[in-house]
Amino acid sequence: MLTMLVECEACPLGTFRDAASFDAGIVECTACEAHSTTLVVCALRSDECVCDAGYFANTSLPTGPDCQPCFAGSECLAPGSTRQSLNIQLGHWRQSEGSLDVRPCPDASTN
């Protein structure tokens, strides 16, 4: 059995070094998009970038996923929130996981 050991020149959190660069011997790290980070050092793909706490990945944009600030009625307490996994605060609701229309419950003031 042959085992290959690949050393990783660690890119700091918030950056990645794609496989093509790695194979070509390029040691530059590429920054994740605005308001995003990686959860590990030595990330090797751009899809390892996740939105920072306080932001969520809105995948419904025609330009591709974008990290947007969480809005009233939602919570993004940890990195990696997405539109589908967005936590909704007590006293609020939304019609579906994909909806960005978060509304207060009609009886929220009495709860």
Side-chain angles (χ1 to χ4, degrees):
M1 179 198 277
L2 180 63
T3 304
M4 182 186 297
L5 176 63
V6 177
E7 276 190 45
C8 172
E9 298 223 7
C11 288
L13 291 176
T15 65
F16 63 95
R17 184 170 158 201
D18 65 38
S21 295
F22 188 82
D23 291 344
I26 298 170
V27 295
E28 285 184 23
C29 298
T30 303
C32 293
E33 296 291 326
H35 310 296
S36 64
T37 189
T38 54
L39 300 177
V40 297
V41 296
C42 199
L44 295 176
R45 296 182 318 273
S46 63
D47 65 357
E48 291 186 67
C49 296
V50 297
C51 293
D52 292 328
Y55 292 83
F56 73 98
N58 186 354
T59 56
S60 66
L61 301 174
T63 56
D66 185 31
C67 294
Q68 297 184 334
C70 287
F71 46 85
S74 67
E75 292 181 331
C76 307
L77 302 177
S81 292
T82 65
R83 184 178 66 162
Q84 290 77 16
S85 70
L86 200 59
N87 289 323
I88 304 303
Q89 293 176 340
L90 185 64
H92 292 80
W93 68 280
R94 64 179 175 168
Q95 191 169 1
S96 69
E97 284 184 348
S99 174
L100 294 177
D101 183 15
V102 176
R103 299 177 182 201
C105 295
D107 63 347
S109 62
T110 60
N111 289 340

